[in-house]
Amino acid sequence: MGLLAHFLQGPHPKTTLLLTRAGPVENPHHLLYSHPGLPLSGEGRWALHALLPLLRRYPVAHVYAADSLAESEAASLLAQALGVGHTLLPELRERSWGAWEGKSFAEVETLYPEAVRAWMADEAGFAPPLGESVREAWARGREAVRALLARHRGQALLVVGNCTLNRAALSLALPLPPEEGLRLEQDYARLTVVDFYGEEGVVKALNLDPCP
């Protein structure tokens, strides 16, 4: 059923999904990281504080984030400033890098040359040793965000995500497969807004910059 059909059936309460991304983080050596990840940098905390005037335009009912370092710190910071509760969920984590966690891309190329070639051939389907593919993380994230939207039907909720999770959430509104996800940039501490009417979503804003 399309969006027009939903409207023709009668009014639907609007559920607003607000997406942001925690960071920048402390990552001077440009390591691959997922969970527990890396802490927010001072710049990251400043950027999230700068995002608050945009967030206060919406009646945020609750804040959700992964239980990783940067996301949990960001969720606590934003929820306290907005005067709402926050919940940490492992299903909102970034894709797992498995054996590659904490290594630089140069190290991975040296240690796993065949795996890197397989990754380049199938970016969405490839999973690092003991890790998770983008496609697997995408499916996990989609279902987690779908459940949150159902829980907060008719409200506004904020999800402090990561590049994979936010793109997966956007695919609930856009016909976007995982292999095309990198075409939608998700910057640190920017605001993306998606309004849902029933199961149908409308992207209202992408990567709003609080300090243009």
Side-chain angles (χ1 to χ4, degrees):
M1 182 183 296
L3 187 61
L4 177 61
H6 273 282
F7 279 117
L8 291 176
Q9 286 186 340
H12 288 265
K14 180 177 73 173
T15 303
T16 299
L17 174 63
L18 305 169
L19 294 169
T20 192
R21 184 179 167 199
V25 298
E26 296 284 1
N27 191 14
H29 303 295
H30 305 290
L31 305 179
L32 298 173
Y33 66 93
S34 50
H35 179 81
L38 299 169
L40 284 173
S41 65
E43 179 188 356
R45 285 185 285 275
W46 179 89
L48 290 165
H49 278 290
L51 187 63
L52 284 166
L54 279 180
L55 289 173
R56 289 192 174 107
R57 298 178 186 177
Y58 301 89
V60 176
H62 202 83
V63 178
Y64 293 91
D67 56 345
S68 303
L69 290 174
E71 287 85 352
S72 60
E73 184 180 355
S76 176
L77 182 158
L78 294 174
Q80 184 175 4
L82 293 170
V84 299
H86 74 281
T87 302
L88 305 180
L89 300 172
E91 53 265 42
L92 299 178
R93 292 175 186 172
E94 178 60 278
R95 59 89 63 87
S96 171
W97 288 108
W100 295 3
E101 183 77 21
K103 294 180 172 60
S104 68
F105 184 66
E107 289 177 297
V108 168
E109 283 188 301
T110 299
L111 294 170
Y112 304 94
E114 292 184 9
V116 169
R117 285 192 288 272
W119 182 21
M120 294 175 67
D122 183 8
E123 188 172 356
F126 172 78
L130 304 177
E132 187 178 28
S133 71
V134 168
R135 190 169 288 121
E136 290 167 332
W138 188 280
R140 164 174 57 76
R142 271 177 60 97
E143 290 311 304
V145 174
R146 193 194 304 274
L148 295 179
L149 290 170
R151 183 182 304 172
H152 289 278
R153 185 175 172 83
Q155 297 180 313
L157 65 151
L158 171 62
V159 174
V160 182
N162 49 68
C163 56
T164 302
L165 177 76
N166 287 13
R167 289 165 173 145
L170 281 166
S171 75
L172 293 170
L174 302 171
L176 182 70
E179 53 270 20
E180 298 296 333
L182 291 176
R183 297 178 187 275
L184 284 176
E185 186 66 40
Q186 290 295 283
D187 294 327
Y188 291 127
R190 299 291 186 267
L191 183 63
T192 291
V193 183
V194 189
D195 285 338
F196 285 87
Y197 303 88
E199 293 294 316
E200 303 296 328
V202 177
V203 178
K204 299 296 290 294
L206 187 68
N207 281 330
L208 288 176
D209 186 347
C211 303

